[in-house]
Every structure is written in structure tokens, then in C-alpha cells.
Amino acid sequence: MLQSLAGSSCVRLVEQHRSAWCFGLLVLGYLLYLVFGAVVFSSVELPYEDLLRQELGKLKQRFLEEHACLSEQQLEQFLMRVLEASNYGVSVLSNASGNWNWDFTSSLFFASTVLSTTGYGHTVPLSDGGKAFCIIYSVIGIPFTLLFLTAVVQRIIVYVTRRPVLYFHIRWGFSKQVVAIIHAMVLGFITVSCFFLIPAAIFSVLEDDWNFLESFYFCFISLSTIGLGDYVPGEGYNQKFRELYKIGITC
């Protein structure tokens, strides 16, 4: 008797606070998913980072041994300055000196990454005026971009979703549910092909150092607006038709 009363009271307690329990489970699930990602990334990437650190340490030590006139402090200062410039998209390498980060096409590409909130981070404003303008430009431009994309989607969705489904349903008499499922599969295949598979194949050909997986990875990181910046197209020193290429990527 007491057990049944206790059980019913627990059930009532859970029912009364169902929303809070669901929210708590959601928070717990999200935290566990974050921890899961951290564990996987750490276990996969940490060995590669350790190997790279060892390789750089050996190269640095060999360089200092071959150039006894150069102290380790001087080398550290030079490397710090080079890395600082590299973070702003400026390279000290002679084969990369011909590419300007702020010509018109590169600036257009940068503006598109800002408004789309992709933000690769390979090129950033150097001057205080550029940083201030970037803030104002983003505050106005990002909502403007969302409004623009919403208007475009509202007009496109009529022609790519509703009309085809209604056409096959009314004209050919197929079940609306079946047509909708087949249409969704076809539309998904076309979307993946046009925005992932075909661009990845093109990037793997045009970019000398990219294979298909790296190109597909770039497409996904870009279209999901994650924008890690580890892969940026059109930055090779021997890139042909670089201006036209940059405009094409922007589009």
C-alpha cells in the first residue's frame, strides 16, 4: 500500500515538472555531446600535433646549429613577427608575395564571408579604421543578408517544391505523399551534387594541394558557415585567373 502511494506520488511529481525534466535532460545530453566531441578530437588530433611539434623542434635546432651567428632569441623574435603577420594573411615567403589580400576581388570575397558569417579568418582588417568599418558593415549587412536570402528562398521554394509535387499529383494522379517523398529524395540528391560533390571535384582539380576529401570538407565547412579557415581557395601563388576564380567562389 505504502509502495503504491509512493510510486503514484513520484509519477505525479514527474508529470507536474515534465518540462523542467525534459530541459534538464536536454542540457545533460548537450553537455555529454560536447564532451564526446572533445574526447574524439583530442584522441585523433593530439598524436599528429605531437609529431608536428617534434618535427618543428628538430628543424629549429638544426637551423641554429647551421647558423651559429644567430642566437635563439633573435630567431624567436623573427618567427613571432612572421607568425603575427601570417595571422593577418601576409606571408614572408617569396612565392606568396605576388598575391594581395586587399585587391578588389579579394575584398569582395572577404565581404561575402563577413555577410554570410562564414569568416575564414585568413584575411582580417589591419587598420583601426578597417576594424571599425567591419563592425558597422556587419551590423547592417548580416540582417540585410538574412532578409535577402529569405526573400530568395520564398520565391524559389514555389518552383522547386510545391509546383512539382502538385503537378505530378494532379496531372498524373500519383499519391501526394509518395510524390513528396520521391521529390525530397531527388531534391536532396541534386542539392548534394550541386553544392558538395561537383564543387569538390572542381576544387580538387583547380587547387594543387587539395584532394577530393579536403575539397568536400571545405564545401561543408563553408556552406555550414563554420568557416575554420584551414582551407581557403585561390590562395596559391601560381593560381591562374585568380581574380576570376575569386569572383566565382564568391558567387
Side-chain angles (χ1 to χ4, degrees), residues 75-150:
L75 178 61
E76 291 281 353
Q77 291 177 350
F78 173 72
L79 292 176
M80 286 178 62
R81 183 57 179 162
V82 169
L83 291 174
E84 182 182 355
S86 179
N87 290 334
Y88 286 98
V90 179
S91 176
V92 73
L93 300 177
S94 59
N95 58 9
S97 60
N99 293 339
W100 296 96
N101 293 315
W102 293 105
D103 56 9
F104 177 76
T105 53
S106 298
S107 299
L108 181 65
F109 180 68
F110 171 78
S112 69
T113 62
V114 169
L115 296 185
S116 63
T117 69
T118 305
Y120 294 116
H122 70 296
T123 302
V124 294
L126 297 172
S127 64
D128 292 339
K131 294 173 183 177
F133 176 74
C134 185
I135 295 173
I136 300 172
Y137 186 71
S138 302
V139 168
I140 299 174
I142 292 176
F144 188 22
T145 302
L146 295 176
L147 177 63
F148 167 72
L149 292 178
T150 301

